[in-house]
Amino acid sequence: MAKLPATPIVPAPASEGTEKELDFLCVKSMLLHRGDDDDHKYFNTVGIFGVEGVGKTTLAEEIRDKLEGEEETFKPKIWISLSELLTSEEESRKLTLVKRILTEVVAEQRIEEGRRDQIKEDLDKFIKDLKPQQENKKQEQTSKNADPKPVKGILRSSSIKLGVNKSKQPQQEEKKADPGDPILGGLLWALHQKLTGKKYLIVLDGVFNSFDDPWYGILGSRFEKGATATHKWADRLGFGFPKGKGGAVIVTGRSEKAVKNMVGEENCYRLLPLQNIESCWQIYKKAAEEGGIQIQEDGDLIKQSVFEKCEGLPLAAKMMGQIKNKMEKKGSQGNNVPNIHSYQEESAE
């Protein structure tokens, strides 16, 4: 990370919090924008990328929680943290991701019924019903004009438990392509059915380098139907997201390449470190005064020290404030500003 200049930086002549508010308004505008073409009228994607600690997750959370009014209402709102997928193999990672999204979508509908705990059992049964198709798919496609049904199991009781309309079973629209992975394709089809007709918001938080794989590419991709189609349900993650009722997906991550792959360069927002000393100071002070602690120092030199040490990163400023809070509780004296590198040592005590 580049070292900030040692010379004092004059705070912007704007009100406190303006930088964060501007980020919020920009991303919100991108999310709610309705273009002239059908793809942008009824489905939007926004990618937020930047260095570690710059506030990508916090901004996405604010967007999810603060959207108000009829034009801004999304339901369901699904949050998927991708950090758990780091250690997974690529193929199992794709399956795990789709299962998690589908599970959360179904869970949203069942919370009021008090049956959330039953979802995993239903989903496992759903997948079990799909597995026989892996062995049978070649037998089903016996001729050029065959119309294979790679996910027959969806018609069984598990599909009813998941709330999938069995009358809309995923026919293999294309004439010559094989059904692909019937489990992954079946789950993506089921996700598409569950979200159809809904103005949903899905946040995929923390994409990493391997998300530049074409399978994750351009979430706005539509599943083409008809005899001329050349793809399968399992070919892209984006096929699981229906386009038509104003749904949206937010993607966050450090990897600019991966984020752009998923949403397109025109839908990306680079989140930059804070440039306003006062903004960093307020984040630091809020954390430092947690639990009724009062810090007396607030001079320009102290604020400048906080700004230089956190390098404009909100997370770093917050961590430094938390260290200062512990120091104050222990009775430490002086106007020293803790260094971010001591965070692990302090938090381990």
Side-chain angles (χ1 to χ4, degrees):
M1 182 181 300
K3 179 72 175 177
L4 289 177
T7 54
I9 299 176
V10 179
S15 62
E16 172 187 322
T18 296
E19 288 178 274
K20 293 173 66 177
E21 291 169 3
L22 180 60
D23 289 330
F24 174 85
L25 291 174
C26 287
V27 174
K28 174 183 171 181
S29 177
M30 293 171 67
L31 188 71
L32 300 178
H33 173 70
R34 294 290 177 255
D36 295 330
D37 58 287
D38 287 344
D39 285 344
H40 290 93
K41 275 184 181 179
Y42 304 113
F43 180 79
N44 275 343
T45 55
V46 178
I48 306 171
F49 67 91
V51 299
E52 182 178 10
V54 78
K56 302 178 294 294
T57 297
T58 299
L59 177 56
E61 287 175 336
E62 289 179 352
I63 293 292
R64 177 196 62 184
D65 296 339
K66 293 183 180 180
L67 291 175
E68 299 175 352
E70 184 176 351
E71 291 295 320
E72 303 173 8
T73 300
F74 288 89
K75 188 175 182 180
K77 295 180 181 180
I78 305 298
W79 184 281
I80 304 294
S81 178
L82 302 174
S83 58
E84 301 172 11
L85 301 179
L86 271 169
T87 57
S88 305
E89 294 294 331
E90 185 57 40
E91 291 309 312
S92 63
R93 180 181 297 154
K94 294 174 182 178
L95 191 62
T96 300
L97 174 58
V98 179
K99 284 173 62 178
R100 286 186 57 189
I101 299 173
L102 180 57
T103 298
E104 291 301 317
V105 170
V106 176
E108 283 284 315
Q109 299 179 340
R110 294 194 178 178
I111 286 177
E112 294 183 0
E113 303 173 9
R115 294 194 297 129
R116 183 184 177 108
D117 292 341
Q118 188 183 338
I119 295 171
K120 185 179 183 303
E121 178 183 341
D122 292 348
L123 193 59
D124 288 344
K125 177 64 165 61
F126 179 83
I127 293 173
K128 183 179 179 181
D129 285 342
L130 294 176
K131 284 183 177 179
Q133 305 309 315
Q134 289 179 308
E135 289 77 29
N136 297 335
K137 62 179 181 179
K138 290 184 179 179
Q139 297 178 5
E140 291 182 358
Q141 196 170 5
T142 56
S143 68
K144 182 178 178 180
N145 296 321
D147 187 21
K149 300 176 179 60
V151 284
K152 285 182 179 177
I154 293 175
L155 300 181
R156 303 180 187 178
S157 60
S158 57
S159 65
I160 298 174
K161 290 182 179 180
L162 284 175
V164 176
N165 186 347
K166 67 179 182 179
S167 66
K168 296 181 180 180
Q169 56 185 337
Q171 305 288 331
Q172 189 62 19
E173 303 281 356
E174 61 272 23
K175 297 292 184 179
K176 55 185 178 181
D178 72 65
D181 183 337
I183 297 178
L184 183 59
L187 289 172
L188 281 167
W189 174 82
L191 175 62
H192 188 280
Q193 293 299 316
K194 292 300 295 179
L195 291 175
T196 295
K198 296 180 174 62
K199 187 180 178 181
Y200 56 87
L201 175 63
I202 296 175
V203 181
L204 302 178
D205 181 48
V207 302
F208 36 91
N209 290 335
S210 65
F211 279 76
D212 62 3
D213 183 296
W215 186 80
Y216 302 96
I218 309 302
L219 296 177
S221 302
R222 293 174 179 268
F223 184 84
E224 299 176 6
K225 299 179 180 180
T228 60
T230 59
H231 54 237
K232 305 167 284 293
W233 278 102
D235 283 352
R236 285 185 181 271
L237 173 61
F239 293 162
F241 303 135
K243 289 77 182 177
K245 292 294 182 179
V249 178
I250 297 175
V251 175
T252 77
R254 279 179 264 172
S255 171
E256 178 179 352
K257 182 179 179 182
V259 172
K260 287 183 177 179
N261 175 58
M262 297 180 75
V263 305
E265 185 171 2
E266 70 279 6
N267 297 318
C268 283
Y269 187 82
R270 183 191 296 273
L271 193 58
L272 298 173
L274 299 172
Q275 299 299 311
N276 189 332
I277 292 178
E278 193 64 32
S279 297
C280 293
W281 171 251
Q282 291 302 323
I283 295 172
Y284 169 84
K285 185 178 181 182
K286 181 179 179 180
E289 294 186 337
E290 183 73 25
I293 298 295
Q294 293 293 319
I295 56 174
Q296 302 303 319
E297 64 269 20
D298 61 359
D300 290 341
L301 290 179
I302 296 296
K303 292 181 180 181
Q304 178 71 27
S305 179
V306 169
F307 183 76
E308 289 181 356
K309 288 184 176 181
C310 77
E311 299 185 321
L313 299 178
L315 180 59
K318 180 179 179 180
M319 287 178 171
M320 288 164 53
Q322 291 172 339
I323 297 171
K324 181 65 173 177
N325 181 269
K326 287 190 175 185
M327 292 168 61
E328 291 291 329
K329 287 179 179 178
K330 291 179 180 179
S332 300
Q333 301 297 320
N335 291 345
N336 57 310
V337 175
N339 194 301
I340 186 59
H341 299 298
S342 63
Y343 179 75
Q344 289 184 334
E345 179 180 329
E346 289 288 333
S347 60
E349 296 180 2

